[in-house]
Amino acid sequence: MKHYIIVKLVEGTDRNALIGPVQELFNGVLSIPGIHDVRVKPCCIDRSNRYDIMIEITMEKEALDAYDASEPHHEWKKNYAALIEKKTIFDSED
């Protein structure tokens, strides 16, 4: 499946500066059995009604609980929550 985290950052946050560190952080979940790929992408349009970053994790459904309990996931929530205005989580059979 694809697990998407779609994030609207607090105004004034440089989304492009976050791509590398967020990608590096989420690369840590690749050691979890059943997680196959992680991609962190910035939005290519700069408009106030757009979200800023999309994190796409390709995983087996059974890996979701291990991902939720993982250190990178907890670190993401702890270190980046203050930069997030809104977020959407979406899972698809893709």
Side-chain angles (χ1 to χ4, degrees), residues 3-15:
H3 177 74
Y4 298 94
I5 305 165
I6 305 168
V7 175
K8 174 82 170 160
L9 297 169
V10 171
E11 188 173 335
T13 305
D14 182 355
R15 69 174 165 231

Side-chain angles (χ1 to χ4, degrees), residues 4-62:
Y4 298 94
I5 305 165
I6 305 168
V7 175
K8 174 82 170 160
L9 297 169
V10 171
E11 188 173 335
T13 305
D14 182 355
R15 69 174 165 231
N16 292 317
L18 293 179
I19 299 302
V22 171
Q23 180 72 58
E24 186 175 329
L25 174 63
F26 276 90
N27 282 346
V29 303
L30 291 170
S31 63
I32 298 170
I35 295 184
H36 307 293
D37 191 35
V38 176
R39 296 172 190 236
V40 179
K41 302 175 186 181
C43 183
C44 65
I45 301 295
D46 189 17
R47 292 190 181 168
S48 63
N49 67 340
R50 299 293 194 270
Y51 278 59
D52 296 293
I53 294 175
M54 181 176 74
I55 302 161
E56 176 187 310
I57 305 172
T58 304
M59 68 170 77
E60 305 300 320
K61 285 182 183 180
E62 298 76 23

